[in-house]
Amino acid sequence: MSAVLSPSAAAVEPLPAQRSRGYWASVWLRFRRDPVAVGAACVVLLLIAIGIFGPWLAPADPYQASMLNRLKPIATSGYPLGSDELGRDMLSRLIVGARLSLFIGITPVLFAFVFGAVIGIVAGYAGGAVNSVIMRTIDVFYAFPSVLLAIALSGALGAGILNSLISLTIVFIPQIARVAEAVTTQVRGRDYVEAARASGASAFTIVRVHVLGNVLGPIFVYATSLIAVSMILASGLSFLGLGVKPPEPEWGLMLNTLRTAIYVQPWIAALPGVMIFITSISFNLLSDGLRTAMDNKG
């Protein structure tokens, strides 16, 4: 008999099985295809690296003052980005100041993410009277704009880094809690949650296994977008004298101390603001890229 297979027989030869791509692998693939988001992520990573290794990267002592060299223009020998009102090297102060500025901007969002997510998930899953009590309390904070609330809390607590962190954390907790409650309320009514509840699973088990994995992603993306707002608010508090105290090199404080030099060296006075703008827009673009990548419809 002939061993030659017919074309129809060869056409139905089964293909090798392929492993399906997981959710996070798909998110990473979509994120890599967004050049704007990738560029923003690179800028954010660069800023974080500068913040970590700033003291070793700074070409000069950021605290060393020299009244003879005050307000030197950009590209002056020994002062690549000029000097401030006390003759301190601006490049060194911007590099070293990245650590403190990023710390004050990111830390409150991290704490607010933890506390706000817990509050929102509890309110969203419990529902009923528990939800009403928690969310109506959260709504009280929405009676005040974020800027005014941060200033009022910092003014009541007093100036300082710790009090700034506490104030900004309190400002962001209600915003994250509201998002967490809305997402949890949607997930609570899904079929797999109802099936788990019907099978006798406890509320803690349902939240840990079925709810957290579906709500933490959107909450995290929203929290990422708040970092830009936190950077601006933290810099504003330092500018008003309610945050970091001199002589620490923090971008908002540097804007405050250089405001009198804006008519003499406007470019030098604008450098801390440029750094705040670059950092804020990078975190905003990164958040938008993450939101798009995590969208299953995309």
Side-chain angles (χ1 to χ4, degrees), residues 168-181:
L168 293 176
T169 301
I170 295 175
V171 169
F172 294 129
I173 284 178
Q175 303 179 33
I176 296 179
R178 171 167 285 187
V179 174
E181 186 270 340

Side-chain angles (χ1 to χ4, degrees), residues 38-287:
V38 172
C42 292
V43 174
V44 169
L45 291 177
L46 178 61
L47 290 171
I48 293 176
I50 292 175
I52 295 174
F53 302 104
W56 295 276
L57 297 175
D61 186 356
Y63 301 97
Q64 182 64 43
S66 175
M67 298 306 295
L68 297 177
N69 295 316
R70 61 189 303 269
L71 296 177
K72 290 290 184 180
I74 296 175
T76 300
S77 178
Y79 298 94
L81 293 181
S83 60
D84 66 1
E85 76 286 353
L86 296 179
R88 296 170 294 193
D89 182 43
M90 281 295 296
L91 177 60
S92 299
R93 289 184 65 79
L94 289 173
I95 291 176
V96 176
R99 172 183 294 184
L100 191 55
S101 300
L102 290 174
F103 175 77
I104 299 177
I106 296 176
T107 302
V109 178
L110 292 178
F111 282 110
F113 172 76
V114 175
F115 292 110
V118 171
I119 294 173
I121 291 173
V122 169
Y125 185 81
V130 175
N131 181 287
S132 298
V133 171
I134 293 177
M135 297 314 297
R136 296 299 77 76
T137 304
I138 292 296
D139 288 342
V140 173
F141 290 91
Y142 280 91
F144 308 94
S146 299
V147 177
L148 295 181
L149 182 58
I151 293 174
L153 292 173
S154 296
L157 296 175
I161 297 177
L162 179 60
N163 291 336
S164 296
L165 295 177
I166 295 174
S167 302
L168 293 176
T169 301
I170 295 175
V171 169
F172 294 129
I173 284 178
Q175 303 179 33
I176 296 179
R178 171 167 285 187
V179 174
E181 186 270 340
V183 178
T184 305
T185 301
Q186 296 177 356
V187 174
R188 184 186 61 182
R190 298 288 174 83
D191 293 338
Y192 52 84
V193 175
E194 294 293 339
R197 189 180 295 113
S199 65
S202 64
F204 178 78
T205 302
I206 295 175
V207 171
R208 179 175 59 86
V209 176
H210 300 285
V211 176
L212 284 180
N214 292 282
V215 303
L216 286 182
I219 299 172
F220 176 77
V221 171
Y222 178 75
T224 305
S225 67
L226 290 180
I227 295 179
V229 181
S230 180
M231 290 286 302
I232 296 174
L233 289 180
S235 299
L237 292 178
S238 297
F239 182 86
L240 295 174
L242 297 174
V244 181
K245 299 179 180 179
E248 295 298 327
E250 196 271 337
W251 295 339
L253 181 61
M254 292 170 65
L255 277 177
N256 183 18
T257 57
L258 285 167
R259 73 185 188 279
T260 57
I262 191 171
Y263 298 107
V264 181
Q265 293 290 351
W267 293 108
I268 294 178
L271 286 176
V274 172
M275 294 301 298
I276 295 172
F277 171 77
I278 293 175
T279 305
S280 301
I281 197 67
S282 297
F283 275 107
N284 267 332
L285 294 175
L286 176 60
S287 175

